[in-house]
Amino acid sequence: MSPSDTRDLSGRARYGMTPSLHITVIQEREHSLITIFKLEGDIDAESYVLLQDKATEYYQTGTRRLLLDLSGVHFMGSAGLRALHQIDEMLRRETAGEDESNSGIVNGSFKSPYLKLLNPSASVARTLKLSGFDLIFDVFHDQQAAIDAF
Amino acid sequence: MTSHLPSLAESSEIETRLLATLKDKRILIVMGSYVGKRPMYERARELGAKLVVMDGPGHWTQAATAESLFEQYIEVDLYPSNTLADRAYQAIRKANLHFDGVATFEEFAGPLTSLLARGLGLPGHPFLSLAYCRDKTLTREVCIEAGIPSPRFYRIGSVEDIEVAAEQVGFPAVLKPVSGASSVATYRVDTLAALHQRYKQTMEAVREHLKSSDVHSADENELIWKNGFDMILEAFLDGEEFDVDCLLSQGEVVYAAVTRDLPQPYLREVGSQMPPAFPADKQDELIGFTAQVLQVLGFYHGAFHVEMKYTEQGPRLIGVNVCIGGPMHQLNRLVWGVDLVEQYLLSCLGLPIQPRKAIEPQTYILTSDLPSPRSGVIAHTNFLQPLDTHPHVIQKKVNVEVGQFVTGPESGVPDSLGEVMVFGNSVEAAEQIMAELLAMINLPLEST
């Protein structure tokens, strides 16, 4: 069986097709460094680069705190986790001190002070929990509470 | 263990010096796992390592600390689980100890162990690699993305996913937990109706069994469901099942050995054979496949137990365990003279490893599970006594208690009543010895 025999990977990732992720950017006015990405679609092997690129673009123009609104995300697999991890590492690299960046601990916690997650679907929340990503990312269900937590 | 077993080869001077570096090194053990891992801790203590274990209140390693198996026990509340890493780190800091390494023998503690190692500035696996291995759908996605062939699969989060899963995967298929281990709750399903029935039965059993959210690291069967009840449906693969125990050092495979899992009528391991009666070139293929999988997952060093099937199209992955399985320590040591615990602990210190594998197998080992032949109640537990004085029995173990009701194949997957491990001077000899021994065992089942 070849990789292509996997047909529709997990029923979601569509190799060779147009990425299915749409990102709306909201700049939080009262907190100039905080940017909110409202994501709609799937974060899969085709689309995760869109998220990474968008995060890099905003990072380069000053964003240092990112809130990902996942309420419109139906599926997030390994590629989505890789994107979250990579974005967090990027934000930590410049923002945290060298010790904090190396240890992964900021203010006594492994939770990222730079990247937070909002309203994941039940399915995405289970992926975060099963993979241990809930150990490093705070998950919120109220946007204001998430912003206040930065 | 009998005197008939060949003695282990003497370590070379370099190996002896390397092992001596473990003496007085303090290693943090993240989660003590189930009691079957105790011999691994005993081996570490023999090597002079100081083990400090971190786990929840009442774990068996707490009592073992009083017996001096561990230098210290760091107790931490395991719940809520999403803040466990922070609490664990604070508790470790409070203990005010200097650590030389961080290790775990608990499959489910991978991501936590990675974080703590990084927090303490010590070597550890990449967090992302361990995250991929905690969920079989993630492992498969990463492999497919890297061009490694994988069976069709679909994640089942609720009963609503079943029809789509069946359509995507087809039949025959295998249903199992995404975070599974030891073939727990693993079933072959041949029809949509069977899939519905198995999924419903599994969910009912899990919800009945998990009465509390306070799951302990000693309760492997419960840990599987700790973070959710998601299951994976994947295409059933024809072919024999094998395990590869593998040591990586600086990104290279420095040791690998293949074990054959004996035919599994119920998709549960019922025995294993090391070395396997399987062509050497195909064993090399299994090892090469293992190396490829570990590389794409991003691993660089450490000990791994990789499960796969050898199909007509070649090896196909079942799962990657980032720890040493209970009996595998003993099997690898006796057959190939390589102590996985020693090597793993050295790698946890950040040292390069290069174990010496025997050129020829030192012995031939066969293990056998004792599945219950029918449902009933256990009348007594001394049914393995006839094996007490047999010179080729390495180990035997009873898995049931007097009065316990056990399930036979007519009611589903049979319970395991016990396990036997024997050795011989060839594969055939070991098989013959096992057949003779199994014929001596009279399983004490009373009808209900």
Side-chain angles (χ1 to χ4, degrees):
Chain A
M1 189 182 298
S2 70
S4 59
D5 290 332
T6 55
R7 298 189 288 189
D8 190 358
L9 174 61
S10 197
R12 270 109 175 169
R14 291 167 286 271
Y15 285 98
M17 294 177 71
T18 307
S20 56
L21 184 67
H22 181 71
I23 305 172
T24 307
V25 181
I26 304 162
Q27 209 73 44
E28 173 55 36
R29 288 183 185 179
E30 288 179 21
H31 307 269
S32 59
L33 291 175
I34 301 176
T35 302
I36 303 168
F37 286 0
K38 185 166 173 50
L39 309 176
E40 285 172 279
D42 297 342
I43 314 178
D44 57 27
E46 286 295 312
S47 65
Y48 79 100
V49 178
L50 293 179
L51 175 57
Q52 280 188 346
D53 288 351
K54 187 67 80 179
T56 305
E57 179 189 330
Y58 275 76
Y59 173 74
Q60 285 169 347
T61 56
T63 290
R64 291 296 179 267
R65 306 283 189 275
L66 191 56
L67 176 63
L68 299 184
D69 182 343
L70 300 172
S71 54
V73 174
H74 316 296
F75 169 79
M76 183 168 67
S78 59
L81 296 181
R82 185 159 63 239
L84 296 189
H85 195 257
Q86 186 270 340
I87 293 166
D88 184 44
E89 292 290 315
M90 176 181 72
L91 295 169
R92 279 176 193 263
R93 226 175 3 250
E94 290 294 321
T95 316
E98 193 176 336
D99 286 351
E100 291 174 328
S101 187
N102 289 340
S103 68
I105 298 171
V106 181
N107 300 327
S109 174
F110 288 103
K111 301 273 190 178
S112 174
Y114 313 112
L115 179 62
K116 297 189 186 296
L117 310 177
L118 179 65
N119 284 330
S121 66
S123 153
V124 170
R126 288 198 301 272
T127 297
L128 293 168
K129 195 170 169 61
L130 275 162
S131 61
F133 266 59
D134 64 337
L135 295 171
I136 56 173
F137 293 123
D138 278 322
V139 177
F140 293 88
H141 298 283
D142 176 85
Q143 181 169 308
Q144 194 55 50
I147 291 167
D148 291 346
F150 277 114
Chain B
M1 188 127 1
T2 76
S3 58
H4 291 68
L5 262 175
S7 57
L8 298 176
E10 291 285 318
S11 298
S12 70
E13 193 184 329
I14 294 171
E15 284 174 323
T16 306
R17 275 213 304 268
L18 192 56
L19 284 179
T21 60
L22 281 169
K23 186 167 167 52
D24 293 329
K25 291 290 188 296
R26 184 177 286 122
I27 297 174
L28 175 67
I29 304 291
V30 181
M31 317 292 274
S33 198
Y34 58 93
V35 74
K37 300 286 175 92
R38 185 180 174 116
M40 301 192 198
Y41 300 129
E42 288 170 345
R43 179 63 188 139
R45 288 291 291 128
E46 280 170 20
L47 293 163
K50 295 176 183 170
L51 305 181
V52 174
V53 65
M54 188 219 76
D55 210 312
H59 190 268
W60 70 268
T61 51
Q62 196 160 20
T65 305
E67 301 163 19
S68 301
L69 181 58
F70 300 98
E71 182 189 25
Q72 195 166 323
Y73 186 84
I74 298 177
E75 184 177 302
V76 59
D77 286 332
L78 302 180
Y79 295 90
S81 58
N82 67 334
T83 48
L84 174 57
D86 292 346
R87 280 195 307 282
Y89 183 71
Q90 297 311 329
I92 291 161
R93 290 294 298 269
K94 199 172 161 191
N96 201 24
L97 296 168
H98 168 80
F99 290 100
D100 300 291
V102 178
T104 188
F105 293 91
E106 171 49 59
E107 174 63 26
F108 292 87
L112 174 64
T113 306
S114 169
L115 290 179
L116 293 175
R118 183 177 174 184
L120 293 168
L122 294 166
H125 292 304
F127 178 81
L128 197 56
S129 305
L130 292 160
Y132 292 153
C133 293
R134 285 311 328 126
D135 180 329
K136 288 182 180 8
T137 63
L138 300 178
T139 314
R140 274 153 185 63
E141 284 178 33
V142 173
C143 288
I144 289 169
E145 213 181 325
I148 296 176
S150 185
R152 295 185 304 277
F153 69 94
Y154 198 92
R155 188 187 192 100
I156 299 180
S158 72
V159 72
E160 282 76 38
D161 295 327
I162 285 182
E163 305 272 338
V164 187
E167 190 185 307
Q168 292 282 330
V169 175
F171 294 104
V174 176
L175 177 70
K176 57 189 173 187
V178 294
S179 188
S182 308
S183 307
V184 172
T186 299
Y187 306 102
R188 174 178 165 148
V189 284
D190 292 315
T191 63
L192 180 61
L195 172 59
H196 268 292
Q197 189 190 9
R198 273 296 181 202
Y199 181 75
K200 183 168 174 272
Q201 281 175 349
T202 305
M203 290 302 108
E204 284 173 357
V206 168
R207 292 194 168 97
E208 164 70 17
H209 189 60
L210 280 183
K211 293 187 173 66
S212 153
S213 63
D214 292 347
V215 179
H216 225 271
S217 88
D219 301 328
E220 195 87 345
N221 289 357
E222 296 195 0
L223 277 172
I224 287 169
W225 306 105
K226 179 174 79 86
N227 291 322
F229 301 156
D230 284 16
M231 299 190 81
I232 177 173
L233 185 74
E234 65 181 12
F236 178 82
L237 298 173
D238 266 325
E240 284 201 76
E241 188 170 331
F242 296 89
D243 302 334
V244 176
D245 290 298
C246 181
L247 293 168
L248 287 185
S249 182
Q250 299 174 308
E252 299 291 326
V253 174
V254 291
Y255 169 78
V258 180
T259 306
R260 177 178 169 227
D261 292 331
L262 298 180
Q264 306 174 46
Y266 311 104
L267 295 181
R268 201 189 63 207
E269 288 160 29
V270 292
S272 46
Q273 184 186 58
M274 186 188 218
F278 198 58
D281 59 334
K282 290 184 175 176
Q283 288 189 52
D284 288 345
E285 215 180 323
L286 291 167
I287 290 168
F289 181 77
T290 299
Q292 197 185 0
V293 167
L294 295 177
Q295 187 190 15
V296 304
L297 288 169
F299 289 109
Y300 188 72
H301 68 197
F304 306 87
H305 181 76
V306 182
E307 300 168 341
M308 65 199 77
K309 271 198 169 182
Y310 193 93
T311 70
E312 280 184 8
Q313 291 78 35
R316 294 292 182 271
L317 182 68
I318 295 177
V320 177
N321 302 307
V322 192
C323 71
I324 306 166
M328 301 323 293
H329 173 221
Q330 199 169 15
L331 261 67
N332 283 277
R333 200 168 59 86
L334 292 172
V335 175
W336 296 112
V338 172
D339 189 320
L340 298 178
V341 171
E342 286 174 6
Q343 301 298 325
Y344 171 56
L345 293 177
L346 287 169
S347 79
C348 290
L349 298 180
L351 297 171
I353 52 174
Q354 186 70 58
R356 268 196 318 166
K357 183 181 180 182
I359 294 165
E360 295 294 330
Q362 300 181 348
T363 189
Y364 293 79
I365 293 185
L366 192 61
T367 72
S368 182
D369 192 31
L370 302 174
S372 185
R374 62 178 192 280
S375 297
V377 174
I378 299 296
H380 62 83
T381 55
N382 54 7
F383 53 93
L384 294 183
Q385 263 183 8
L387 280 52
D388 277 354
T389 54
H390 196 288
H392 285 266
V393 174
I394 299 171
Q395 192 173 290
K396 57 188 177 61
K397 185 179 156 202
V398 173
N399 292 337
V400 287
E401 294 172 359
V402 176
Q404 183 179 336
F405 177 79
V406 293
T407 302
E410 76 282 5
S411 307
V413 180
D415 286 323
S416 166
L417 307 188
E419 297 155 44
V420 180
M421 184 189 289
V422 303
F423 73 94
N425 57 14
S426 67
V427 168
E428 296 74 23
E431 283 174 344
Q432 191 179 339
I433 291 162
M434 183 64 87
E436 287 168 11
L437 290 174
L438 294 180
M440 290 163 64
I441 298 169
N442 189 13
L443 295 172
L445 278 173
E446 289 178 343
S447 301
T448 51

